[in-house]
Amino acid sequence: MYCFKVAEKFVSINGEGPRAGELAVFLRFCGCNLNCSYCDTRWANSADVKYELASAEEIVAYVKSTGVKNVTLTGGEPLLQANIGYLIELLGASGAEVEIETNGSVPLNDIVYLSHRPAVTADYKLPSSGMEKYMLTENFSYLTLRDAVKFVVGDKCDLLRAEEIINGYGLTDRCRVYFSPVFGKIKPEEIAEFMKERKLNGVRLQLQLHKIIWEPDMRGV
């Protein structure tokens, strides 16, 4: 029996990514291999975080009990969970539409060839995160038009670097591309003006809906 460290599970509106605005079951797993400057779920990565040790079968039963089809695997970094592929397959076989949010530093090759391949939203950590050196650009080759790359932007330098990566790897032809502002660090207007100035076709500016609807630091939403 495969078990997973679940920091929290809940139903909410998907706040970002291709399914923004849709209902989703969120499964947040413990632990991350990065330490981004703006991390808003650092609590889930601490060594003493409280978690539920749940089997794949128990997780699937919980998802079924919600009546919600979309499932978002997040963290932390969900790809660090041993046997996560087994859980994805089990969820997919149960009829769930699985999306996985990954930080861009863990190889995708173990999940993109699954029978029930999940949709992938992969971050690319920009300079202000302090974690760019850990990004695996080879992951871009696995992405399709049902997947996404998300750039969390904190300043103008981040925007310029994101543009360089987008153009260098032809990301808008390969997958969906999002700019998301670091909450409280950069005005959305500045990102929009940059997109206009640089004629960034195929890039979407996206605000985190859950931080607009609820208090920005609220858990379980």
Side-chain angles (χ1 to χ4, degrees):
M1 178 182 295
Y2 297 135
C3 291
F4 304 86
K5 295 180 178 181
V6 182
E8 61 176 351
K9 60 184 189 293
F10 57 92
V11 173
S12 187
I13 297 296
N14 209 323
E16 53 193 327
R19 297 175 183 169
E22 293 186 39
L23 279 177
V25 183
F26 286 84
L27 302 171
R28 186 180 306 283
F29 299 98
C30 300
C32 189
N33 57 323
L34 301 183
N35 185 25
C36 296
S37 62
Y38 49 74
C39 181
D40 56 6
T41 54
R42 190 168 276 113
W43 63 270
N45 308 326
S46 62
D48 60 350
V49 63
K50 294 181 180 178
Y51 61 85
E52 171 190 357
L53 193 62
S55 71
E57 291 75 14
E58 288 170 335
I59 292 172
V60 171
Y62 164 73
V63 170
K64 283 184 176 180
S65 75
T66 68
V68 176
K69 189 172 183 180
N70 290 334
V71 178
T72 298
L73 309 182
T74 188
E77 173 48 61
L79 289 179
L80 296 180
Q81 296 287 314
N83 305 303
I84 194 70
Y86 176 79
L87 175 60
I88 292 170
E89 291 282 38
L90 211 60
L91 286 165
S94 75
E97 295 286 344
V98 180
E99 173 190 17
I100 191 162
E101 295 181 340
T102 178
N103 64 25
S105 71
V106 182
L108 295 176
N109 52 293
D110 285 343
I111 64 166
V112 294
Y113 299 117
L114 295 174
S115 299
H116 297 282
R117 182 196 188 281
V120 174
T121 296
D123 280 8
Y124 183 91
K125 304 299 185 184
L126 295 165
S128 73
S129 72
M131 296 289 117
E132 187 181 11
K133 65 182 178 180
Y134 299 108
M135 294 298 94
L136 298 180
T137 54
E138 54 265 37
N139 275 342
F140 293 154
S141 65
Y142 296 117
L143 301 179
T144 69
L145 293 176
R146 68 193 293 258
D147 303 315
V149 172
K150 181 179 65 178
F151 294 92
V152 179
V153 176
D155 54 33
K156 181 67 175 291
C157 289
D158 280 356
L159 285 168
L160 289 168
R161 180 58 175 156
E163 180 188 27
E164 184 178 11
I165 294 296
I166 291 165
N167 291 337
Y169 291 91
L171 291 184
T172 52
D173 294 325
R174 180 181 297 278
C175 62
R176 307 181 197 201
V177 178
Y178 296 92
F179 283 168
S180 181
V182 177
F183 192 81
K185 290 293 186 182
I186 188 172
K187 292 182 178 180
E189 300 97 307
E190 185 176 344
I191 300 175
E193 289 300 323
F194 181 85
M195 292 169 63
K196 287 162 59 178
E197 173 192 332
R198 312 296 284 202
K199 298 179 174 56
L200 293 182
N201 293 300
V203 177
R204 295 171 173 87
L205 169 59
Q206 190 171 75
L207 307 182
Q208 293 176 296
L209 290 177
H210 52 290
K211 291 187 177 181
I212 298 171
I213 299 171
W214 294 281
E215 289 296 318
D217 295 328
M218 187 177 291
R219 296 184 190 178
V221 296

